[in-house]
Amino acid sequence: CLSKGIKVYLFDRIVATPLVPYCTDYYNCASGIMVTASHNPKDDNGFKVYWGNGCQIIPPHDAGISESILANLSPDQEYVIDEA
């Protein structure tokens, strides 16, 4: 993102998930992303994406975002996607 001139706010430590949507709204960001991992089932791990107003992006909008991410993965890296 930085190489494209997009301003990024990156926390310098682990933060609770609710801080990301709060700060997305507070700093008037276009969106917010939280990388997650937890004690919950593995299907709950991954990332959460928030609109500029701090609301989580959910179906059906999340499918288009996921497709865009997969279509723009770096070709010099190997990614394993578990679709099970």
Side-chain angles (χ1 to χ4, degrees):
C1 290
L2 294 174
S3 67
K4 302 291 184 190
I6 298 171
K7 188 173 188 174
V8 174
Y9 293 97
L10 182 64
F11 295 106
D12 62 357
R13 61 187 173 280
I14 295 173
V15 298
T17 300
L19 191 58
V20 175
Y22 172 80
C23 289
T24 300
D25 184 48
Y26 182 83
Y27 288 109
N28 198 29
C29 299
S31 63
I33 300 171
M34 175 63 154
V35 177
T36 66
S38 73
H39 61 280
N40 294 317
K42 69 174 187 169
D43 292 340
D44 292 340
N45 295 334
F47 61 93
K48 295 180 172 145
V49 182
Y50 301 92
W51 291 118
N53 63 0
C55 292
Q56 189 170 358
I57 297 173
I58 57 172
H61 306 291
D62 62 339
I65 293 169
S66 182
E67 289 172 13
S68 180
I69 291 169
L70 293 174
N72 291 286
L73 294 175
S74 178
D76 61 342
Q77 296 180 13
E78 182 176 327
Y79 295 90
V80 177
I81 300 169
D82 183 8
E83 296 181 345

